[in-house]
Amino acid sequence: MCGLGSQTQQNYVRHVRRFAVFLGRSPDTATAEDIRRFQLHQHESGVGPATINGAGSRHCGSCSS
């Protein structure tokens, strides 16, 4: 995963798993509206802004996988 450290990789997988559970389907089918709804859900659940921002910005765009 783009040369990320093991803890960062674990955090990434955890965020993706939570998003998949929220969606009830594969995250690769998510729309912009799904992401917005998930962020709102996180906020309403008391998740802090840094976690919300980190969960939505993991893919750097420079790696092929």
Side-chain angles (χ1 to χ4, degrees):
M1 278 189 243
C2 292
L4 301 173
S6 63
Q7 187 65 43
T8 302
Q9 290 179 26
Q10 291 172 9
N11 289 338
Y12 173 79
V13 170
R14 186 177 65 250
H15 287 303
V16 172
R17 188 177 298 125
R18 287 181 182 162
F19 185 46
V21 168
F22 173 81
L23 282 177
R25 63 182 196 273
S26 177
D28 65 352
T29 66
T31 65
E33 179 61 18
D34 291 329
I35 296 168
R36 189 197 69 77
R37 287 186 316 107
F38 182 60
Q39 290 175 325
L40 182 60
H41 167 76
Q42 288 180 303
H43 174 72
E44 291 172 346
S45 298
V47 175
T51 301
I52 293 170
N53 290 339
S57 63
R58 293 287 183 229
H59 189 273
C60 63
S62 64
C63 50
S64 59
S65 56

